[in-house]
Amino acid sequence: MEIIHLKNEKFKELIEEKVLVDFYANWCGPCKMIASELERVDSTIKTIKVDVDRFEELAREYGVMSIPTLILFDEGKEKKRTIGFIDKEKIETFID
């Protein structure tokens, strides 16, 4: 799984293809736990990590109230989301 840490990229352009977006914070324990699970996921889908402290407006725009929040986008539209820690197997099921 390719993991991209959002810096200055155009978020709307990145979500035009099927991608998994991980809204997280560096200080968040469950976010750190899910990060290691994401690295183990066997999938060709890209993951975009969005630091909610750095991109507060983006998190607000997508209604992120709790972290970690994973949102699956396809063609720029949200398909589904999950909030809180989930393990590798549940992430793979979530993507499919």
Side-chain angles (χ1 to χ4, degrees):
M1 172 178 277
E2 180 183 355
I3 298 177
I4 300 167
H5 290 265
L6 188 68
K7 292 186 177 40
N8 297 317
E9 299 88 350
K10 306 270 190 262
F11 183 75
K12 302 253 191 229
E13 291 174 13
L14 291 172
I15 62 171
E16 283 301 313
E17 59 185 289
K18 187 173 182 182
V19 294
L20 181 66
V21 178
D22 174 21
F23 287 91
Y24 77 99
N26 290 322
W27 48 263
C28 167
C31 297
K32 292 176 186 176
M33 291 168 48
I34 206 169
S36 64
E37 296 295 309
L38 284 168
E39 290 174 7
R40 298 176 42 230
V41 168
D42 184 26
S43 177
T44 57
I45 192 171
K46 287 182 189 172
T47 296
I48 301 165
K49 296 187 64 69
V50 178
D51 183 342
V52 297
D53 290 330
R54 185 170 176 196
F55 296 98
E56 287 180 48
E57 287 184 30
L58 194 57
R60 202 171 306 123
E61 179 181 345
Y62 287 95
V64 175
M65 305 297 278
S66 299
I67 51 174
T69 293
L70 297 179
I71 303 178
L72 186 65
F73 286 93
D74 194 7
E75 296 180 5
K77 295 183 175 80
E78 179 179 334
K79 296 300 180 187
K80 55 186 170 178
R81 74 171 57 200
T82 184
I83 299 168
F85 173 79
I86 57 174
D87 63 20
K88 172 188 178 283
E89 289 75 24
K90 289 182 181 163
I91 294 169
E92 290 172 346
T93 301
F94 178 76
I95 291 169
D96 294 335

